[in-house]
Each structure stands twice: as structure tokens, then as C-alpha cells.
């Protein structure tokens, strides 16, 4: 008898829908709320949700914890140069496949379509606080900002333009390091850019390096750390090899803040850490202090 009652109740509850259950429990099902894609952004550090438009007004820094979101080259140029006015150099330069690396041309085409860029760095000239500058801005959205032969060539040409025009040079770095698909050709860019910067230095030219998240590998080992003034954004990851590789090599635990901009400032590898909201004014002040135009005796 009890078994028959149990089976009847089991059959009845098996046919209940979630709406029936909610009604019997005295609840009403809440309508699902959908947020349009791109309307809001979640901070990677504190989890704060911010409207995208408000985030852009705040120069893509979290209003709660001041986390600095990564910027692409276009955003960086608009934030840095006067009224965003910019004359680009070598816009058509694009990577070739010197080592015939498997699928490399297809990957280059994919990155160009995704980002709208020809390469991982944009170079050109503009003004900051009225002072003319040659500027190079790396973009980590393109191949993680990796340095191939075109990146090295464009930066070298920018250095040579600063030397010829006697303009100060500013490079914003954002890179995962050398581009493996170009092998030795990529590694040679470390020497090429360093030699060009040495010529600029001999001519008493001013070079300001601004390290942003992330600046690693061969870029850190060359032009990123060769500035007359080395600056970084707060919290920027700056280093050569990765934390795990270093710990395995030296068999020691590294400090929690290792390879951050603040750690490098404390240990003398940076001159200052500058929040993004103060970056443009800081650069303008430095240019004013150095006379705006450099390269003369």
C-alpha cells in the first residue's frame, strides 16, 4: 500500500516543471537580465564592474583600485599626444617569413585582420605640451607585442628620425619579447636598436623609455632599459625571463612583487613610476626641462 502511494507521488512530481515548483513554493521566477557585450568591464585585480564609457573617461584605470588596463597603440597615442595629432612613419611595413616558419604568414595575416595593424609597433611624430617628439608605441594585442625584424627596423628608423630632426624620442614598450618565428633575425634587433640609441646618445639626444604591462624578454634586454630617463606605469610587469624559470634556476622563492614596476624602482632600475593620469603632464615637464629640442652641443 505505501509502495503504491510512493510510486504515484513519484510519477506526479516527475512531471512538474521548474515553474510549477516555483509556484508551489510561493516564488515567482525572476526574468533573466542580459548585459550587452562591451557595456561593462570587470577589473582583473579587485573585480569592480565599471561601465566601459566611464572606464575610458578614467583613461582605462579602475576607479576603485587604480588597476591600469592594457592599452592598444591607438589609445596610447590619443592619450599622449596633443589633441591626438600624429604623423605616422613606415605605415606599410609588414613582416616577411625569412625562415619559412610553418604557418607564420597565415598567423601574420590573422593578426593584421584582428588588430588592424601591420606590425606590433606604431612609430611617428607629434607634440606633447607643444614640444615636438618622435614616438614609438608597441601594441601587445598584435602577436603579444613580440619583436620581429620589422619591429626592430621601425624602431631603429624612429631613432634615426629623432637624430636627424633633433627631436626627443619616447618609446612606450609592451612586449612578450623576441618573436620565435623569426629566430636569429628577431634577436639581432636587440643589437640594432641598441647601436642606434648609442648614436642618439652620442649626439646628446634625449630618449625617454616608458615601460608598460608587459615588458619582457629581448625588449627589456635592449631599448626598454636604455632610456636617459626610465619610467613605468604602476604595476607594470617588467623582466627578462619568467618567474617560474628563475625560481627553478636559482632554487629560491622570489618576492611577491618581483618584476613589478615598484620593485624595479626600489632597486634602482627605474627613475620613476607614473600613474597614467599624470603621464602626459610628466612627459611635457621633462621635455620642458630639457629644452624641448635636443641633439645640439
Amino acid at each position: 500500500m505505501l509502495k503504491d502511494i510512493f510510486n504515484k507521488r513519484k510519477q506526479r512530481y516527475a512531471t512538474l516543471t521548474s515553474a510549477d515548483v516555483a509556484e508551489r513554493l510561493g516564488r515567482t521566477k525572476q526574468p533573466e537580465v542580459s548585459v550587452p557585450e562591451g557595456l561593462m568591464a570587470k577589473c582583473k585585480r579587485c573585480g569592480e564592474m565599471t561601465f566601459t564609457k566611464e572606464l575610458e573617461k578614467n583613461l582605462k584605470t579602475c576607479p576603485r583600485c587604480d588597476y591600469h588596463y592594457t592599452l592598444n597603440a591607438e589609445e596610447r597615442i590619443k592619450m599622449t599626444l596633443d589633441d591626438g595629432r600624429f604623423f605616422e612613419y613606415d605605415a606599410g611595413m609588414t613582416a616577411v617569413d625569412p625562415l619559412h616558419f610553418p604557418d607564420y604568414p597565415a598567423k601574420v595575416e590573422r593578426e593584421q585582420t584582428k588588430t588592424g595593424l601591420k606590425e606590433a609597433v606604431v612609430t611617428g611624430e607629434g607634440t606633447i605640451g607643444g614640444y615636438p617628439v618622435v614616438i614609438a608605441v608597441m601594441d601587445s594585442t598584435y602577436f603579444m607585442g613580440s619583436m620581429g625584424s620589422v619591429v626592430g627596423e621601425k624602431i631603429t628608423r624612429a631613432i634615426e628620425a629623432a637624430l636627424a630632426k633633433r627631436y626627443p624620442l619616447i618609446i612606450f614598450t609592451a612586449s612578450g619579447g623576441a618573436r620565435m618565428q623569426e629566430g636569429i633575425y628577431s634577436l639581432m634587433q636587440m643589437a640594432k636598436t641598441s647601436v642606434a640609441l648609442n648614436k642618439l646618445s652620442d649626439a646628446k639626444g634625449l630618449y625617454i623609455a616608458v615601460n608598460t604591462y608587459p615588458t619582457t624578454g629581448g625588449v627589456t634586454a635592449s631599448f626598454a632599459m636604455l632610456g636617459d630617463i626610465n619610467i613605468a606605469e604602476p604595476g607594470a610587469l617588467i623582466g627578462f625571463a619568467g618567474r617560474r624559470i628563475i625560481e627553478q634556476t636559482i632554487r629560491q622563492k622570489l618576492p611577491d612583487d618581483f618584476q613589478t614596476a615598484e620593485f624595479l624602482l626600489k632597486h634602482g632600475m627605474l627613475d620613476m613610476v607614473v600613474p597614467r593620469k599624470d603621464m602626459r603632464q610628466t612627459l611635457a615637464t621633462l621635455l620642458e626641462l630639457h629644452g624641448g629640442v635636443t641633439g645640439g652641443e
Side-chain angles (χ1 to χ4, degrees):
M1 185 69 175
L2 289 173
K3 186 176 181 181
D4 292 337
I5 294 172
F6 176 77
N7 287 334
K8 286 181 181 179
R9 288 185 177 180
K10 183 178 180 181
Q11 291 174 0
R12 185 172 57 209
Y13 284 120
T15 60
L16 290 176
T17 66
S18 58
D20 294 330
V21 174
E23 184 178 354
R24 292 194 179 197
L25 292 174
R27 303 173 189 160
T28 57
K29 187 177 181 181
Q30 297 296 323
E32 294 184 1
V33 179
S34 60
V35 179
E37 186 177 354
L39 180 65
M40 302 190 75
K42 183 178 181 180
C43 178
K44 293 182 179 180
R45 181 189 292 168
C46 70
E48 178 81 358
M49 295 294 293
T50 309
F51 284 105
T52 303
K53 288 187 178 180
E54 291 299 319
L55 194 63
E56 291 173 353
K57 288 180 182 178
N58 205 39
L59 302 182
K60 283 201 168 182
T61 59
C62 177
R64 179 178 177 182
C65 70
D66 200 37
Y67 172 77
H68 283 49
Y69 289 70
T70 56
L71 299 176
N72 60 37
E74 181 181 6
E75 292 169 329
R76 181 75 65 180
I77 289 168
K78 286 181 178 179
M79 289 182 189
T80 305
L81 298 180
D82 295 341
D83 301 320
R85 291 194 298 268
F86 177 64
F87 175 76
E88 187 174 356
Y89 297 161
D90 305 310
M93 289 186 68
T94 187
V96 294
D97 185 18
L99 301 179
H100 306 291
F101 197 94
D103 300 324
Y104 184 43
K107 290 180 179 179
V108 168
E109 185 177 350
R110 180 198 67 197
E111 292 296 313
Q112 291 177 344
T113 301
K114 181 184 74 174
T115 63
L117 298 171
K118 289 292 185 181
E119 256 299 340
V121 68
V122 178
T123 60
E125 63 181 74
T127 61
I128 300 176
Y131 296 104
V133 296
V134 171
I135 187 171
V137 181
M138 302 191 76
D139 194 321
S140 61
T141 65
Y142 185 103
F143 259 128
M144 198 52 208
S146 56
M147 180 173 61
S149 54
V150 172
V151 170
E153 178 65 17
K154 290 184 72 171
I155 288 176
T156 300
R157 291 189 183 191
I159 298 168
E160 291 172 346
L163 180 60
K165 293 174 177 261
R166 296 177 58 195
Y167 286 176
L169 171 71
I170 300 174
I171 300 179
F172 285 86
T173 61
S175 177
R179 188 173 301 173
M180 60 172 286
Q181 291 87 349
E182 296 189 24
I184 190 63
Y185 291 95
S186 176
L187 296 177
M188 288 168 62
Q189 308 313 309
M190 297 167 61
K192 182 165 72 174
T193 54
S194 298
V195 168
L197 285 171
N198 188 60
K199 291 181 179 178
L200 182 66
S201 178
D202 288 343
K204 297 182 172 56
L206 173 65
Y207 167 40
I208 301 174
V210 185
N211 291 228
T212 72
Y213 186 100
T215 296
T216 60
V219 170
T220 305
S222 55
F223 56 86
M225 285 290 148
L226 293 178
D228 298 299
I229 303 170
N230 291 327
I231 302 174
E233 287 190 330
L237 170 66
I238 305 167
F240 183 69
R243 169 188 285 268
R244 179 172 57 85
I245 298 298
I246 298 172
E247 288 184 336
Q248 289 177 350
T249 302
I250 66 175
R251 293 181 172 83
Q252 292 183 27
K253 176 70 175 169
L254 295 169
D256 292 338
D257 63 346
F258 182 70
Q259 291 185 330
T260 64
E262 291 74 14
F263 182 90
L264 269 65
L265 177 65
K266 181 180 178 181
H267 290 81
M269 294 187 69
L270 292 173
D271 297 298
M272 59 182 79
V273 174
V274 180
R276 188 172 294 163
K277 62 183 177 64
D278 299 326
M279 184 65 72
R280 186 172 175 276
Q281 183 56 54
T282 298
L283 293 173
T285 300
L286 290 172
L287 294 172
E288 182 179 9
L289 289 172
H290 288 81
V293 178
T294 63
E297 292 292 339

